[in-house]
Amino acid sequence: MGFKALRVEGLTVSYGARLALQDISLEVPRGQVMALIGPNGAGKSTLIRAASGILPLQSGKIRTNGDELTSLPPMQRARCIAVVPQAVALPPAFTVWETVLMGRTPYLNFLGQTSAKDDIIVRRALQRVDALDFADRRVGELSGGEQQRILLARALAQSTPILLLDEPTAHLDMQYQVALMQTVCQLAHEDNLAVMIALHDLNLAARYADSVALLVQGRLEAIGTPIQVLTPERISQAYHLPVQVVSHPFLQVPLILPFDRTASLAGEGRQKGGE
Ligand code: ADP
Ligand code: MG
C-alpha cells in the first residue's frame, strides 16, 4: 500500500445552525502522532467524526492521498481509517474476542466467514492492549478502562493505515495511560500509521505527540511541535486559566501546570516564608 496521509482541507461542519468547525486544514503524515487538544466543546470529537467520514461536511474535503474519503464505499473507507470513539457503549453480551473480531468486518468474504488470518490478527490486537487474558469474558463485565482497551484492539484489528482516537485515555489509570500512549507511538513510529488522537491531558500530548493541533471554538488556533504550541500564553488563553509551563527535568518536553489564583498566592507565601 502506498503512502497514505490523512489530509483535512478547509473543513467546515455545522450541527444545524451551530457552527462546530470552521475552515480546518491539517495533515497527519504516516509515521506520526498528532494530538488534538482544546477545551471542552472546542470541536475535537467533531473533527474526529468528520475525518472518519461519518459526519456530513458543510464544506471542505477529507483525503487520504488522492482519494476523497466521503466518496469511498463504507467497506473501503473502513480499510483505510479506524476510529476509537469517545465513550461508546460496547454491546455487553458479546465476548471480548467477538468484539475485536468485528474489526475484521471490512475484510470478510461475502458469506461473512472469518479465516485463520483473522484469528491471528485479533490475537495480535488483544496482545497489543494486554487483554488476551480476558478474551473469553463478556464485554459488559469489564471495567471502563478494560473496555477502552478493547475498543483500541477492535480498531487495530481493522488493520488500517490511519487511526483516529477520541480521548482514549479517559478511563485508564496511570499505568494504562502510559501503556496506551506507548502503543500509539509504536503504531505510528514502527508500523507507520498516521495517528490523530484527541487528548485532554496536555502533558500526555506534550510527552507523546509529534505534533499538536489546538482547537478553540471550532477554529484551529495553533499547530506545530509540542514546544511550539504548548506555550503558557496560548494555553492560558485557550483554557481561560493561568498555566505555567516548565521544562521536564530530563526529557525535552514541556510540562503544563495549572496555576489558579489561590495556588499562586500560596506559592508566593511559601516563597516569602523561605526567604
Ligand atoms: P469536544 O470534543 O472538543 O469537547 P465536540 O466536537 O464534541 O467538542 O463539540 C463541539 C461543539 O459542537 C460543541 O459546542 C457541542 O455542543 C456541539 N455538538 C457536538 N455534538 C453535537 C450534536 N450531535 N448535535 C449538536 N451539537 C453538537
Ligand atoms: Mg470530545
Side-chain angles (χ1 to χ4, degrees):
M1 193 180 293
F3 178 78
K4 286 233 172 163
L6 172 68
R7 272 180 74 174
V8 174
E9 298 175 0
L11 178 68
T12 297
V13 174
S14 298
Y15 296 109
R18 184 203 299 263
L19 200 54
L21 289 176
Q22 273 186 69
D23 196 22
I24 306 290
S25 296
L26 53 82
E27 180 167 328
V28 191
R30 285 189 81 167
Q32 287 206 6
V33 177
M34 179 183 283
L36 210 51
I37 62 164
N40 289 333
K44 303 179 295 297
S45 296
T46 303
L47 178 51
I48 285 188
R49 288 200 297 265
S52 73
I54 61 163
L55 275 185
L57 315 182
Q58 190 171 315
S59 59
K61 291 194 163 57
I62 310 290
R63 289 185 201 276
T64 67
N65 285 352
D67 294 338
E68 205 176 312
L69 203 72
T70 37
S71 62
L72 292 179
M75 283 301 183
Q76 220 172 314
R77 200 193 309 154
R79 292 180 196 181
C80 208
I81 294 199
V83 188
V84 177
Q86 184 175 18
V88 295
L90 286 165
F94 286 99
T95 66
V96 165
W97 182 273
E98 290 163 341
T99 303
V100 176
L101 191 58
M102 286 172 202
R104 298 301 300 161
T105 307
Y107 302 93
L108 302 186
N109 65 22
F110 70 100
L111 294 172
Q113 287 163 330
T114 60
S115 65
K117 184 181 172 205
D118 295 312
D119 286 347
I120 291 168
I121 289 171
V122 168
R123 173 175 286 270
R124 205 182 298 147
L126 281 168
Q127 269 166 345
R128 248 192 147 143
V129 301
D130 196 15
L132 196 54
D133 283 349
F134 40 88
D136 297 327
R137 288 177 58 190
R138 291 192 190 284
V139 166
E141 293 161 9
L142 301 180
S143 74
E146 288 164 344
Q147 292 198 17
Q148 215 149 20
R149 282 149 56 200
I150 302 312
L151 276 171
L152 175 59
R154 187 180 66 176
L156 295 183
Q158 249 175 278
S159 309
T160 57
I162 299 170
L163 178 63
L164 311 176
L165 305 106
D166 197 350
E167 297 194 6
T169 56
H171 295 286
L172 301 181
D173 68 29
M174 209 163 52
Q175 176 199 349
Y176 281 109
Q177 281 187 11
V178 168
L180 182 132
M181 292 309 298
Q182 284 173 338
T183 303
V184 161
C185 286
Q186 264 174 18
L187 290 165
H189 302 154
E190 290 166 28
D191 299 355
N192 204 30
L193 270 67
V195 181
M196 183 158 75
I197 176 168
L199 287 171
H200 62 212
D201 185 330
L202 301 181
N203 289 315
L204 287 181
R207 168 78 179 85
Y208 294 102
D210 300 297
S211 63
V212 177
L214 170 64
L215 283 179
V216 179
Q217 293 185 344
R219 292 170 195 269
L220 188 58
E221 196 70 30
I223 188 162
T225 64
I227 290 176
Q228 287 168 339
V229 174
L230 299 168
T231 64
E233 300 77 28
R234 212 176 257 134
I235 297 303
S236 300
Q237 200 172 30
Y239 289 82
H240 302 290
L241 178 75
V243 300
Q244 274 202 323
V245 177
V246 296
S247 193
H248 190 284
F250 34 83
L251 301 170
Q252 293 298 310
V253 298
L255 284 174
I256 296 91
L257 309 170
F259 196 63
D260 68 44
R261 181 150 172 76
T262 24
S264 105
L265 290 174
E268 280 165 23
R270 247 199 318 279
Q271 262 177 3
K272 284 204 186 101
E275 274 167 11

